[in-house]
Amino acid sequence: MGDKNGTVVIGAGPAGLTAAYELLRYGEPVRVFEADDVVGGISRTVERDGWRFDIGGHRFFTKVSRVEEFWHEILADEDFLRRPRMSRIYYRGALYDYPLNAGNALRNLGLLEALRCVGSYGRARLRPPKDQSHFEGWVSARFGWRLYSIFFKTYTEKVWGMPADQLQADWAAQRIKNMSLSTAVLNALLPRRNRTDVTSLIEEFQYPKHGPGMMWERCTELVEKRGGSVRTGTGVTAVHRDPAARRATGVTVADGDGERTEPADHVISSMPISALVRVLRPAPPPEVLAAADDLRYRDFLTVALVVPEEFSFPDNWIYVHDPAAKVGRIQNFGSWSPYLVKDGRTCLGLEYFVFEDDEMWRTPDTELIALATAELERLGLVRPGCVEAGHVVRMPKAYPVYDERYQQNLDVIRDWLAREVPNVHPVGRNGMHRYNNQDHSMLTAMLTAENIAHGAGHDVWTVNVEQDYHEQRASAADGGRADGRHGTGRDAPIMPARPDGHRRVAKVGTATPAAVRRP
């Protein structure tokens, strides 16, 4: 059983709420504080004017049985839809099936370009690029330059904001594991039923009918029903520690009524680990603060446009590989669930990958809606003048960035936290600065709850959820690190460092049809 003060959880996203729910399962008292006014983190479902839209698209698919069981413990089976997985690639006016379909690709490329792609693949196999340490070299060695330039280069550079030859190959090796041109062609020709051997090729997935936020809204209700508390609009401004005892003793929280201190025997933190370091009191030493300040993030904004149903498409999303458009991906929320949209209409979510200090991040909502409308029209996906309304969602710190200094910075922070405040437990994507999926974040929270309730001794930093997404953990004899810092989480590409902006709370804006016009 827990001590009298119980556990404070910072953040009400998938990791924070899972931790709270699991602690209550073990009879441990828990309080959750969320700075934003909604729960779910990046897995929230935003609702505006009766429209509901997902932030980034969350397919509920996992190979971790306890995560699957958790989902169905929170929501009834009838709350889940079984959805077909469909996505395509838009390139130069044509839509390519993804995974690749040989006939479709041949028709879109044309015989001459298809032969050039095959020839490029053959050259890459005979004379692979000498430097395969970066994304461009690694992928072109396995697909050939021409296929790489069509199906990988542009989208990857949009997501991470820099040239692909500056991205390290580690991320490609995990995200495109088991895939090559021969694999793609073979999968294009084989029967498509129940293909789950390569994770990126799953044929169907589960989805809460009102969006992923439904899961975390219901989880919040259950946490409170079982005696826990979840306070939104309540930020943690300080985590207090006793240097002599080497323990955290409580947190200071701030809401509309002012500040107050909440005692705690344990603190579970899903806030960005860099922000956690900055709110510790007394402050950590300069080298730890410097490491935190050097961590950076890729930010994300969605422009959701309401259009007539005739402009719907069957895909969950379309990847936009056309370099002439800034948009990286286009969601069709009606294809995720009919409960997200209204009769006779659908909502298309145009996704832009940015940094908080970019001009685009600061652009007013009406201008973003005009830009997205113009791009949607230019791509030929809607008829000019048919967009009826638009909504903008800004999501800071959506993706932790793996630059060349991130691991060293993370090691400095982790070692200091483990030594000086071992009862502070980082969990989840931003809490651990791990680019991972929802199920991985949930598992780190589950294991942390077991550590607190039962002294289980799990090292959550070694969690490896899906081998198709994660590199194999090497033994020390194979060159792996014995401390578990190799082969954990899902790597993002390692990129050159640059200064990062400050943390912001996600903001949602709305524009009326009168604000929708082409620039």
Side-chain angles (χ1 to χ4, degrees):
M1 297 294 291
D3 296 322
K4 60 181 180 180
N5 292 322
T7 297
V8 163
V9 176
I10 305 174
L17 288 173
T18 298
Y21 187 91
E22 292 293 298
L23 285 168
L24 290 167
R25 187 195 303 278
Y26 303 133
E28 299 286 339
V30 63
R31 289 153 288 158
V32 182
F33 298 103
E34 168 58 54
D36 214 336
D37 57 1
V38 295
V39 300
I42 197 173
S43 296
R44 74 188 62 190
T45 302
V46 174
E47 183 172 2
R48 288 294 180 271
D49 297 335
W51 300 93
R52 296 174 70 88
F53 38 92
D54 195 341
I55 307 303
H58 291 80
R59 291 170 173 153
F60 281 65
F61 172 83
T62 184
K63 295 180 180 178
V64 184
S65 59
R66 64 187 298 180
V67 170
E68 177 97 15
E69 291 164 2
F70 183 100
W71 287 339
H72 288 271
E73 185 174 335
I74 299 299
L75 292 180
D77 290 348
E78 57 265 28
D79 288 328
F80 286 96
L81 304 176
R82 179 70 67 172
R83 306 304 290 167
R85 178 210 182 279
M86 182 175 179
S87 53
R88 287 178 290 177
I89 294 169
Y90 180 98
Y91 179 73
R92 292 187 176 178
L95 288 167
Y96 293 78
D97 291 343
Y98 182 78
L100 295 178
N101 176 286
N104 167 264
L106 180 61
R107 286 191 299 272
N108 284 336
L109 290 171
L111 180 59
L112 181 59
E113 181 61 25
L115 290 173
R116 287 172 175 164
C117 289
V118 173
S120 175
Y121 171 73
R123 285 192 297 274
R125 303 307 292 169
L126 291 172
R127 298 183 62 184
K130 292 182 179 179
D131 185 0
Q132 297 184 34
S133 64
H134 52 69
F135 181 92
E136 185 167 286
W138 193 95
V139 177
S140 60
R142 286 152 180 81
F143 289 83
W145 174 265
R146 297 190 79 91
L147 282 175
Y148 156 74
S149 64
I150 295 171
F151 295 115
F152 297 95
K153 178 178 171 64
T154 301
Y155 180 75
T156 299
E157 292 180 346
K158 286 181 182 180
V159 172
W160 297 105
M162 60 182 56
D165 62 1
Q166 295 182 26
L167 309 178
Q168 294 299 302
D170 302 43
W171 181 64
Q174 293 170 56
R175 293 298 287 143
I176 316 173
K177 185 178 179 180
N178 299 332
M179 289 291 289
S180 66
L181 181 63
S182 57
T183 303
V185 171
L186 188 62
N187 280 309
L189 299 176
L190 287 175
R192 299 172 62 82
R193 187 180 304 125
N194 297 325
R195 187 190 301 155
T196 58
D197 52 332
V198 178
T199 305
S200 63
L201 303 186
I202 60 171
E203 294 292 331
E204 59 180 19
F205 57 91
Q206 299 175 88
Y207 190 74
K209 64 183 182 181
H210 292 298
M214 181 184 185
M215 171 74 67
W216 303 113
E217 292 158 11
R218 177 59 176 156
C219 187
T220 297
E221 294 173 3
L222 293 174
V223 165
E224 293 179 327
K225 183 178 180 180
R226 297 182 180 198
S229 65
V230 180
R231 299 286 181 265
T232 57
T234 308
V236 172
T237 59
V239 175
H240 302 284
R241 65 187 184 92
D242 181 345
R246 292 190 171 181
R247 292 185 65 80
T249 58
V251 303
T252 294
V253 299
D255 57 19
D257 297 325
E259 287 192 340
R260 65 183 183 277
T261 297
E262 298 274 348
D265 297 302
H266 291 274
V267 176
I268 294 177
S269 174
S270 65
M271 73 193 302
I273 197 169
S274 55
L276 170 66
V277 169
R278 295 187 195 108
V279 299
L280 284 162
R281 300 290 183 271
E287 64 271 17
V288 178
L289 292 170
D293 289 341
D294 201 34
L295 291 176
R296 55 191 286 257
Y297 304 82
R298 188 70 163 153
D299 308 297
F300 177 89
L301 63 86
T302 296
V303 183
L305 302 178
V306 176
V307 298
E309 192 174 21
E310 66 181 283
F311 300 109
S312 184
F313 46 78
D315 310 71
N316 310 126
W317 57 57
I318 292 174
Y319 299 98
V320 181
H321 287 213
D322 195 320
K326 291 183 178 180
V327 63
R329 194 170 64 177
I330 302 174
Q331 305 272 352
N332 180 18
F333 298 116
S335 291
W336 289 88
S337 169
Y339 295 92
L340 301 184
V341 299
K342 300 179 183 181
D343 290 343
R345 301 289 184 272
T346 192
C347 192
L348 305 181
L350 283 74
E351 299 177 349
Y352 297 88
F353 306 96
V354 298
F355 291 110
E356 277 192 273
D357 55 354
D358 287 350
E359 180 181 355
M360 192 168 187
W361 181 267
R362 302 190 302 269
T363 299
D365 289 356
T366 53
E367 294 182 25
L368 289 172
I369 291 166
L371 167 68
T373 299
E375 292 208 321
L376 201 58
E377 294 173 355
R378 189 163 57 248
L379 293 171
L381 296 176
V382 299
R383 181 179 63 245
C386 75
V387 173
E388 300 176 6
H391 311 270
V392 176
V393 180
R394 292 172 174 82
M395 180 59 65
K397 294 180 171 53
Y399 308 111
V401 167
Y402 283 30
D403 60 32
E404 70 269 24
R405 295 193 301 272
Y406 102 93
Q407 187 63 66
Q408 179 181 350
N409 291 328
L410 197 55
D411 285 349
V412 169
I413 296 168
R414 282 184 52 195
D415 291 346
W416 187 87
L417 289 174
R419 183 175 64 253
E420 299 298 329
V421 280
N423 63 330
V424 173
H425 312 273
V427 296
R429 174 181 286 195
N430 280 342
M432 302 173 73
H433 205 81
R434 294 282 188 195
Y435 177 52
N436 51 41
N437 283 332
Q438 179 177 232
D439 56 350
H440 172 258
S441 295
M442 292 172 63
L443 186 56
T444 64
M446 291 175 173
L447 298 181
T448 295
E450 290 181 3
N451 286 346
I452 291 172
H454 303 306
H458 298 298
D459 181 357
V460 300
W461 294 91
T462 63
V463 167
N464 192 340
V465 175
E466 295 180 2
Q467 294 297 333
D468 291 324
Y469 276 145
H470 305 274
E471 61 185 333
Q472 298 286 344
R473 181 164 51 132
S475 67
D478 294 329
R481 293 178 56 165
D483 61 6
R485 291 174 187 164
H486 181 80
T488 60
R490 185 179 81 194
D491 274 342
I494 297 178
M495 308 189 293
R498 62 174 268 211
D500 184 33
H502 296 292
R503 181 174 185 266
R504 299 181 188 176
V505 175
K507 299 178 181 178
V508 181
T510 302
T512 62
V516 180
R517 59 178 63 89
R518 297 185 71 171

